[in-house]
Amino acid sequence: MNFNDELKELKKKHTYRQIPNITEKDGEYVIVDGKKLLNLSSNDYLNLSTNEDLAKEFITQNQSEQFQFSSASARLLSGTSSVYRELEFVLAKLFKKESALIFNTGYQCNLGVISTLARKGDIIFSDKLNHASIIDGMKLSEADFRRYKHLDYNHLEELLKKYRKKYDKALIVSESVFSMDGDIADIRKLVELKQKYNAILMIDEAHAFCSIDDNCAGISEGFDVDIITATFGKALGSFGAFAVSNKTIINYLINKARSFIFSTSIPPINIAWTKWLLTKKMDFIHKQKNKLSRLTIGVQKYLKSSDIETVSHSQIVPIVIGEDEKTIEIAEQLKKLGFFVMPIRPPTVPPNTSRLRLSLTADLEFESVKTIIDYVRNEIQVD
Ligand code: PLP
């Protein structure tokens, strides 16, 4: 099949992707196709990225030499300065780990960490719904890998019993808050299994970091987790990512992780912004986190009382519709009502589980989310 035929096939299957025609962002709103819509498709869980007052405060409080828009090199060349090391120090301290390493994106971070730490002769055990960056990291490593059923730790233990002994190192990888379902891994159980079977445990905190965790240290805070990764591009309203671990692992990554070594580092202005948020704006972050938590509890309760099933225990609230076409149709109707809710379809999620993914953010009003839920409930019930 040629490229054109494949694209036609995607259109036929309603899985063709297009970049939305967003022209502007304004607080909790986006302008899409010229229409102002309430944005429920953003990972900016605390509404920090579009907060103009915050950006102005940052600019007045920081030195102009930090306002450079390119690092112009990889970290191992000259793409580094004090602010990068200072941010890494802040992260290591927050997570109570020996060291931290900034990566350019969460994708590059997971790809680099997994493909570097696991190699031929090793085995990786991965939750079936782990993010694409984890899957690609496993594929890039030359290790064998087994995927356990989503959140099914009996299945994980069966696989550990069957395969662990045949391999040198074993790596268990899970997200903490899952990106498409909003459900949460049992970190205590994962730690128990990694200790019992002598494995390395890696947790991706991308959707928990500074959103539903207590202290911006992930929800695995206080647990014996070997490597934590997370991104700045979601709740923290910035860009980039990081891994925290012991000194040996971080030094090993600096020496071996190709996605770290062979890529121009994040611009200094962005590193300075991230550091400023984590050091000077923690009170504001906590205020927004509390607002988000109240909204999330209200929405979860309302879903329950509306008889809409969801597995979510976080700010990511999927409403599974099933059919791709119906999901797209409801998302289009919601646009007409003033809401930007993305339909999520395979291959991002398993077949027949197409969904509307409500991404709650701190400044949203409960009443707006209620309107969406009421509309979707009627649409589902009509069928
Ligand atoms: N890990 C998870 C669980 C994610 O959901 C994402 C982003 O969607 C990433 C990693 C990648 O992070 P980034 O967007 O910084 O590349």
Side-chain angles (χ1 to χ4, degrees), residues 39-45 315-317 341 357-361 364:
N39 188 3
L40 284 106
S41 294
S42 169
N43 298 320
D44 187 16
Y45 301 125
Q315 75 284 4
I316 299 165
V317 184
V341 179
R357 178 179 179 269
L358 306 187
S359 194
L360 304 180
T361 60
L364 282 177

Side-chain angles (χ1 to χ4, degrees), residues 98-99 116-117 227 245-256:
E98 288 175 4
S99 277
T116 304
L117 297 184
I227 306 150
S245 187
N246 64 40
K247 271 195 185 129
T248 307
I249 285 185
I250 296 299
N251 279 333
Y252 193 74
L253 292 173
I254 292 171
N255 280 276
K256 299 274 187 179

Side-chain angles (χ1 to χ4, degrees), residues 334-353:
L334 285 171
K335 255 190 202 164
K336 289 186 185 143
L337 296 173
F339 302 108
F340 188 56
V341 179
M342 289 299 270
I344 312 282
R345 294 158 287 162
T348 308
V349 292
N352 305 316
T353 69

Side-chain angles (χ1 to χ4, degrees), residues 84-304:
Y84 294 76
R85 285 186 293 275
E86 285 158 12
L87 175 57
E88 285 168 343
F89 182 77
V90 168
L91 291 165
K93 208 162 156 219
L94 259 179
F95 282 81
K96 301 188 181 70
K97 296 280 185 203
E98 288 175 4
S99 277
L101 185 64
I102 299 166
F103 282 77
N104 290 353
T105 65
Y107 182 89
Q108 281 174 265
C109 181
N110 285 340
L111 194 80
V113 171
I114 296 169
S115 64
T116 304
L117 297 184
R119 55 192 147 192
K120 213 175 179 66
D122 297 336
I123 184 162
I124 307 168
F125 299 93
S126 168
D127 189 291
K128 204 146 198 177
L129 293 192
N130 275 342
H131 188 256
S133 54
I134 295 174
I135 298 170
D136 294 355
M138 296 196 298
K139 286 184 180 164
L140 192 63
S141 81
E142 285 177 14
D144 285 346
F145 59 88
R146 300 273 157 187
R147 294 166 78 193
Y148 58 92
K149 289 180 207 149
H150 181 49
L151 298 182
D152 185 342
Y153 302 113
N154 290 328
H155 188 217
L156 170 59
E157 183 155 21
E158 267 173 41
L159 295 174
L160 281 160
K161 262 188 201 148
K162 191 164 170 193
Y163 295 106
R164 170 66 188 99
K165 280 205 189 105
K166 298 180 186 155
Y167 291 88
D168 180 12
K169 284 195 272 49
L171 182 66
I172 301 174
V173 190
S174 177
E175 295 180 30
S176 58
V177 171
F178 281 83
S179 61
M180 290 299 138
D181 288 72
D183 49 359
I184 295 177
D186 184 343
I187 307 289
R188 189 181 299 279
K189 186 72 198 172
L190 285 167
V191 169
E192 193 186 304
L193 291 174
K194 83 117 192 176
Q195 288 171 344
K196 188 167 168 188
Y197 293 91
N198 183 28
I200 298 168
L201 177 61
M202 169 178 159
I203 301 291
D204 177 351
E205 298 266 18
H207 293 274
F209 175 56
C210 282
S211 59
I212 65 161
D213 52 3
D214 291 332
N215 304 303
C216 282
I219 58 168
S220 56
E221 183 178 7
F223 287 101
D224 175 18
V225 176
D226 302 288
I227 306 150
I228 295 172
T229 60
T231 165
F232 302 129
K234 302 191 191 292
L236 204 59
S238 184
F239 181 79
F242 62 96
V244 286
S245 187
N246 64 40
K247 271 195 185 129
T248 307
I249 285 185
I250 296 299
N251 279 333
Y252 193 74
L253 292 173
I254 292 171
N255 280 276
K256 299 274 187 179
R258 294 168 68 85
S259 65
F260 168 79
I261 299 170
F262 297 106
S263 192
T264 301
S265 59
I266 297 168
I269 187 164
N270 207 276
I271 297 288
W273 164 248
T274 307
K275 186 193 137 200
W276 182 75
L277 289 169
L278 286 175
T279 51
K280 305 282 190 236
K281 299 311 289 180
M282 267 304 192
D283 287 348
F284 184 66
I285 285 173
H286 281 299
K287 200 177 116 215
Q288 292 299 88
K289 269 155 61 77
N290 287 338
K291 273 167 69 179
L292 179 62
S293 164
R294 283 196 295 275
L295 176 68
T296 302
I297 292 168
V299 169
Q300 301 286 3
K301 264 194 193 157
Y302 191 68
L303 280 170
K304 231 183 194 167

Side-chain angles (χ1 to χ4, degrees), residues 59-79:
I59 286 167
T60 51
Q61 281 187 19
N62 283 274
Q63 309 298 327
S64 58
E65 68 260 23
Q66 292 191 331
F67 302 156
Q68 290 164 356
F69 299 103
S70 171
S71 71
S73 300
R75 286 290 293 289
L76 292 177
L77 297 176
S78 60

